[in-house]
Each structure stands twice: as C-alpha cells, then as structure tokens.
Amino acid sequence: MRSRHDKRRVFGAVEQTWSIEDVIAEGDKVVVRAKNTCAQASFLGIPSHGRQQTFTAMFIHHIVDGKIVETWRNADDLGRLPQLGARLEPGVPKAPT
C-alpha cells in the first residue's frame, strides 16, 4: 500500500485554482465541468521547472440522501505533459515472440 508521501513524489506539491464551467444535475447524478490552473513541482515524475499547467476535467457525483457517495473523474492529464515540456512520441510495437 502506498502512503500519502509516495503520491507527493509522483505528483509533487500542488497549488491549484479550480473554476467551474458547468453544473448539470439529473436524478441522483451531478456533473461538474471545470478548469484547473495549477503550479506543481512535478507531474507523473516530470519536473515542472516552474511552468503552470491548465487542464479541464469532468466529475460525475452520485448523490444519496444529500451526500456524495461516489465520484468519477475524467481529466485531460495527457494534455498537461506538453505544457511541462515533455515530448509525446508513438511507441514501437514489440515483435511477436
């Protein structure tokens, strides 16, 4: 099991500001579309070198008795990598063995 400190090594300390773009509710679900602007020491082990990152995310919250009981997140984490200066290159498939 990973400790909270292990996550800090992978994701680094973060200062972030979320802005909500849309909130849609129907039945027992609430969808939030938001934008995050953050300054983070590193992301997935890639150092930020002080670069700020902006990305979008959507959250679907399942509400029961007025409380969030489940949340699903879908964010443009891949879009953050070029903002950090990372190059994305296609992989080379391995030959069948």
Side-chain angles (χ1 to χ4, degrees):
M1 175 183 261
R2 288 185 178 207
S3 74
R4 186 172 155 222
H5 299 289
D6 291 331
K7 288 181 182 178
R8 288 186 68 120
R9 262 187 251 132
V10 175
F11 294 103
V14 62
E15 291 180 28
Q16 58 187 336
T17 302
W18 285 94
S19 60
I20 295 174
E21 307 290 323
D22 287 301
V23 176
I24 302 167
E26 182 163 330
D28 62 352
K29 303 283 190 319
V30 176
V31 178
V32 178
R33 185 175 69 88
K35 180 173 69 173
N36 183 307
T37 301
C38 64
Q40 195 165 358
S42 65
F43 181 69
L44 298 177
I46 300 167
S48 70
H49 301 292
R51 293 182 184 106
Q52 196 172 52
Q53 304 127 66
T54 300
F55 66 96
T56 57
M58 288 202 317
F59 303 88
I60 300 173
H61 301 294
H62 179 200
I63 311 293
V64 175
D65 295 327
K67 296 180 183 179
I68 297 173
V69 295
E70 289 182 280
T71 297
W72 298 273
R73 172 190 180 267
N74 187 354
D76 183 20
D77 292 327
L78 185 60
R80 296 175 67 179
L81 298 180
Q83 295 178 59
L84 295 174
R87 286 188 9 202
L88 304 176
E89 297 181 3
V92 178
K94 291 184 178 181
T97 55

